[in-house]
Amino acid sequence: MDHRTGNDTILLVQATDHPIQFPRSVTIFAAACAILFSIVGVVGNLVTVIALLRYARLRRHATTAFVISLSVSDLIFAAVNLPLTASRYLNEAWVLGETLCQVFPLFFYGNVAVSLLSMVAITINRYVLISRAEIYAQIYTRRGITLMLIAIWTLSFSLLIPPLLGVWGTLGLDPATFSCTILKKDGKSPKKLLFVVGFLVPCLVIIVSYLCIYWKVRTSRKNLEAHTGGARRKKTGFQRREDSRVTRLMLTIFLCFLLCFLPLMLANVIDDQIKIPVLHVVASLLAWASSVVNPFIYAGTNKLYREAYRQLLCCGSKKSKNGKIDGPINGGGQGRAIHSHSSKMSSQPT
């Protein structure tokens, strides 16, 4: 599962044990891209988190909490993993010591899992909203969302405790590839389990959930047209369009995530002996981009997110429609329901 860095190696060892170095132009280009992605990723994701926390209209939505979780994960990767990767390419070796060599895979694998589990939470949120709106308010309370976020981050990083402690595999430097990753210990490694639990299963859950959402929306639309006519459609049209836009936005985020990682997955399968190292570097560059693209997708495809960015970057502390200054998340008891992207949808079927 070392998607971003496991195969973008600088120094390779062939069967003859004679190392082959990448062309220096390739390593410099890769390091420059890592630095650029790091700067853009840190700025973009940090602005996203602050903008979503400050914008009242989005702040009360359950989906926003999981989007912030996804953004924080990308922020950590851009701030920690990409600079370390740039150093590795510039020096054509790992020169940052054993501790950072353990930190690197810890944050890498943990953040990939957090990203995907956050997308799972978003997808399930959209599915419950669309298919089980009558129980939405009972599930997505402040307390419920907080517990979900704790579960996402705890599960993602707890999977790495065995190799971190050296109980099952270990975190360290692979001398053949100069990559800091999960190594075998006593012939055993948790990589396959991490791939299944942290990547494959979440992807399958997301795909199945979106298929269920599509089927539910299609079925509901046909039933609505057959039994209620146009009046009902006009009454709920705005709410439906808003929820549909948000659902499409989250689907776009997931598809872009897959597209960023698909070339590296294919490269690992087609060229598992790394006979064409440049292919793995290019594929890795696309994988790094997964931590950078989301803010641009938010701004480019959704009006509410654009307004949140505009309010933060252009208008400063802007008053909301009720005259109050936007600040931290609205107060309320632990059991208070968090609204969906259409505030009335939690109380009526879709």
Side-chain angles (χ1 to χ4, degrees):
M1 189 179 137
D2 200 351
H3 301 301
R4 288 187 177 103
T5 56
N7 289 291
D8 56 338
T9 53
I10 295 169
L11 191 60
L12 304 176
V13 178
Q14 290 186 322
T16 59
D17 291 331
H18 294 301
I20 297 179
Q21 257 187 323
F22 275 74
R24 186 57 178 162
S25 59
V26 174
T27 61
I28 292 176
F29 178 73
C33 288
I35 294 171
L36 176 63
F37 288 167
S38 176
I39 295 171
V40 176
V42 169
V43 173
N45 287 292
L46 184 60
V47 168
T48 298
V49 171
I50 297 173
L52 296 185
L53 288 174
R54 285 173 57 89
Y55 190 52
R57 195 172 172 188
L58 282 172
R59 194 171 58 226
R60 63 178 180 268
H61 300 153
T63 308
T64 302
F66 302 119
V67 172
I68 290 175
S69 174
L70 177 60
S71 298
V72 170
S73 173
D74 289 339
L75 175 62
I76 292 174
F77 178 80
V80 177
N81 291 84
L82 285 180
L84 297 181
T85 300
S87 170
R88 176 169 160 252
Y89 274 109
L90 286 173
N91 293 285
E92 298 189 347
W94 186 267
V95 297
L96 300 173
E98 183 179 352
T99 300
L100 284 179
C101 194
Q102 291 183 322
V103 168
F104 185 93
L106 177 67
F107 279 96
F108 169 75
Y109 286 103
N111 281 313
V112 170
V114 168
S115 295
L116 272 170
L117 291 180
S118 296
M119 293 182 203
V120 169
I122 291 170
T123 308
I124 293 175
N125 171 268
R126 308 317 298 168
Y127 175 75
V128 174
L129 173 66
I130 290 172
S131 65
R132 300 298 302 275
E134 69 278 3
I135 64 172
Y136 186 91
Q138 285 73 44
I139 297 176
Y140 290 97
T141 62
R142 294 183 185 278
R143 178 186 179 88
I145 293 172
T146 300
L147 291 175
M148 292 177 197
L149 292 173
I150 292 174
I152 287 172
W153 285 82
T154 301
L155 176 61
S156 298
F157 282 92
S158 64
L159 291 173
L160 296 165
I161 292 177
L164 180 63
L165 299 179
V167 176
W168 185 13
T170 184
L171 303 181
L173 178 66
D174 182 355
T177 63
F178 286 95
S179 62
C180 293
T181 183
I182 298 178
L183 305 174
K184 288 185 177 181
K185 184 176 181 180
D186 300 327
K188 298 179 180 179
S189 169
K191 268 192 173 183
K192 291 183 178 179
L193 176 64
L194 290 174
F195 176 76
V196 172
V197 176
F199 191 85
L200 184 59
V201 171
C203 284
L204 291 176
V205 171
I206 292 171
I207 292 170
V208 171
S209 296
Y210 275 117
L211 289 175
C212 292
I213 289 172
Y214 172 77
W215 180 258
K216 179 64 178 179
V217 169
R218 183 179 179 182
T219 303
S220 297
R221 185 176 299 163
K222 288 183 177 179
N223 292 338
L224 193 64
E225 292 174 351
H227 296 95
T228 62
R232 172 79 171 175
R233 292 183 65 189
K234 291 180 181 179
K235 183 178 179 181
T236 61
F238 174 77
Q239 299 163 10
R240 291 177 182 279
R241 285 195 301 271
E242 190 173 352
D243 275 306
S244 295
R245 283 194 294 266
V246 173
T247 301
R248 286 196 298 269
L249 168 62
M250 299 310 157
L251 176 59
T252 302
I253 294 295
F254 172 65
L255 291 178
C256 287
F257 183 89
L258 285 185
L259 289 175
C260 285
F261 281 103
L262 185 60
L264 189 52
M265 293 178 185
L266 293 177
N268 290 341
V269 173
I270 297 173
D271 185 29
D272 59 335
Q273 299 299 319
I274 319 181
K275 296 179 180 179
I276 312 175
V278 176
L279 175 66
H280 293 265
V281 172
V282 174
S284 295
L285 294 178
L286 292 175
W288 300 345
S290 67
S291 65
V292 176
V293 297
N294 287 352
F296 297 98
I297 297 174
Y298 299 142
T301 61
N302 190 274
K303 182 179 179 180
L304 286 179
Y305 284 83
R306 282 197 299 273
E307 181 60 31
Y309 289 128
R310 188 180 301 114
Q311 177 175 306
L312 175 65
L313 299 176
C314 301
C315 304
S317 185
K318 184 179 178 180
K319 288 188 176 183
S320 61
K321 292 182 179 180
N322 61 8
K324 295 181 179 180
I325 300 294
D326 288 344
I329 294 178
N330 294 339
Q334 287 184 331
R336 184 174 178 178
I338 305 298
H339 295 292
S340 71
H341 273 80
S342 70
S343 58
K344 296 180 182 178
M345 286 299 291
S346 60
S347 61
Q348 56 181 270
T350 50

